[in-house]
Amino acid sequence: MNGTSIDWVPIDELPNQVTYYHIETEYHDVILANGAPAETFVDVVGRMHFANYQEYLDLFGAERIIPEMTCPRISSRRLLPNAIKARLGIAEETMGFDQFMSA
């Protein structure tokens, strides 16, 4: 959340359904999505929860293990280095996703 291009939206303002598209590459990697770095698909939760799981098995016969990157993964604001928070204009006192989830 930086007040301009990245924002926190209250849950009651979100649509009822959101579609996520995962891009699978040979290895877990970073790609550009609309100019922003984003990670490719890595099966840490379980592909079986995807709507197209059976289609995947029909095409490939079995799940494929995708090696995860050795880079650290930032999964919450508290893990984001202060230098990056400052560059993005993220203030510590601003209520964001982490605080929302712990409320």
Side-chain angles (χ1 to χ4, degrees):
M1 189 161 74
N2 66 7
T4 56
S5 62
I6 302 170
D7 199 5
W8 180 82
V9 178
I11 197 163
D12 59 339
E13 293 180 23
L14 294 175
N16 290 333
Q17 183 175 347
V18 176
T19 301
Y20 291 93
Y21 293 94
H22 295 277
I23 296 174
E24 184 173 330
T25 56
E26 188 171 349
Y27 299 97
H28 186 211
D29 208 347
V30 175
I31 60 172
L32 292 180
N34 293 331
E39 64 180 309
T40 60
F41 174 73
V42 62
D43 192 5
V44 293
V45 175
R47 185 188 305 270
M48 71 181 77
H49 299 291
F50 289 174
N52 67 341
Y53 178 64
Q54 188 58 52
E55 179 183 348
Y56 179 88
L57 289 179
D58 293 344
L59 282 171
F60 301 106
E63 290 196 40
R64 180 176 69 84
I65 303 299
I66 300 170
E68 192 168 353
M69 288 187 293
T70 58
C71 303
R73 296 177 75 200
I74 308 293
S75 58
S76 70
R77 184 172 53 172
R78 68 181 173 79
L79 298 174
L80 193 62
N82 288 330
I84 295 175
K85 287 180 191 176
R87 194 172 83 200
L88 295 174
I90 299 173
E92 285 298 320
E93 63 277 0
T94 304
M95 179 157 176
F97 182 75
D98 293 342
Q99 292 170 330
F100 170 75
M101 292 302 290
S102 64

